[in-house]
């Protein structure tokens, strides 16, 4: 018999994942459809590629997202993450330089 707390926790996680899929369904490159179906790449008659749910019906419950727009959104997200990483690295380098300076001063004090 399973622990009821564990069962409730798993249920809440599953529900949270579904809500997350709904919220971010048409943002960035989709990994899973709202309905839980797999995502495939299809081409329309004009030659444009789309990320589409394999069980796509035009009822608002399935994903059909333009590949170009999805890639641009993904790149924007990666650029912002990169900018954050660069900023953090600069802060850490400044902190490291300050620590080196303090260590050098402490060594000089000890040698006196």
């Amino acid at each position: 018999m399973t622990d009821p707390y564990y069962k409730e926790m798993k249920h809440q996680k599953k529900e949270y994942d579904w809500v997350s899929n709904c919220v971010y369904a048409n943002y960035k490159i989709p990994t899973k459809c709202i309905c839980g179906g797999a995502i495939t790449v299809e081409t329309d008659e004009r030659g444009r590629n789309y990320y589409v749910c394999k069980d796509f019906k035009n009822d608002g419950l399935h994903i059909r997202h333009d590949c170009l727009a999805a890639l641009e959104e993904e790149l924007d997200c990666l650029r912002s993450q990169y900018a954050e990483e660069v900023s953090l690295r600069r802060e850490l380098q400044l902190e490291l330089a300050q620590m080196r300076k303090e260590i050098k001063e402490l060594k000089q004090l000890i040698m006196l």
Side-chain angles (χ1 to χ4, degrees), residues 12-57:
Q12 287 178 353
K13 182 181 179 338
K14 186 176 180 181
E15 194 171 286
Y16 173 80
D17 288 343
W18 183 79
V19 169
S20 178
N21 281 344
C22 291
V23 170
Y24 297 110
N26 289 312
Y27 182 68
K28 299 191 329 181
I29 298 173
T31 55
K32 197 174 194 182
C33 184
I34 298 168
C35 70
I39 299 292
T40 59
V41 177
E42 293 182 2
T43 306
D44 68 359
E45 61 278 352
R46 295 179 298 162
R48 293 188 66 149
N49 292 326
Y50 291 90
Y51 291 107
V52 181
C53 174
K54 71 174 187 165
D55 302 323
F56 182 76
K57 297 176 196 109

Side-chain angles (χ1 to χ4, degrees), residues 3-98:
D3 182 19
Y5 174 74
Y6 179 75
K7 185 177 179 181
E8 178 67 21
M9 190 172 66
K10 292 290 279 186
H11 175 71
Q12 287 178 353
K13 182 181 179 338
K14 186 176 180 181
E15 194 171 286
Y16 173 80
D17 288 343
W18 183 79
V19 169
S20 178
N21 281 344
C22 291
V23 170
Y24 297 110
N26 289 312
Y27 182 68
K28 299 191 329 181
I29 298 173
T31 55
K32 197 174 194 182
C33 184
I34 298 168
C35 70
I39 299 292
T40 59
V41 177
E42 293 182 2
T43 306
D44 68 359
E45 61 278 352
R46 295 179 298 162
R48 293 188 66 149
N49 292 326
Y50 291 90
Y51 291 107
V52 181
C53 174
K54 71 174 187 165
D55 302 323
F56 182 76
K57 297 176 196 109
N58 197 10
D59 58 2
L61 298 175
H62 300 279
I63 293 176
R64 184 171 192 258
H65 191 45
D66 182 30
C67 284
L68 182 60
L71 290 173
E72 287 173 350
E73 292 165 353
E74 191 79 31
L75 282 174
D76 288 343
C77 185
L78 289 173
R79 282 185 187 119
S80 67
Q81 287 177 357
Y82 175 75
E84 289 174 14
E85 292 291 328
V86 167
S87 173
L88 179 63
R89 182 179 173 128
R90 286 183 183 149
E91 288 175 17
L92 290 173
Q93 285 176 338
L94 290 173
E95 190 176 325
L96 185 61
Q98 181 66 29

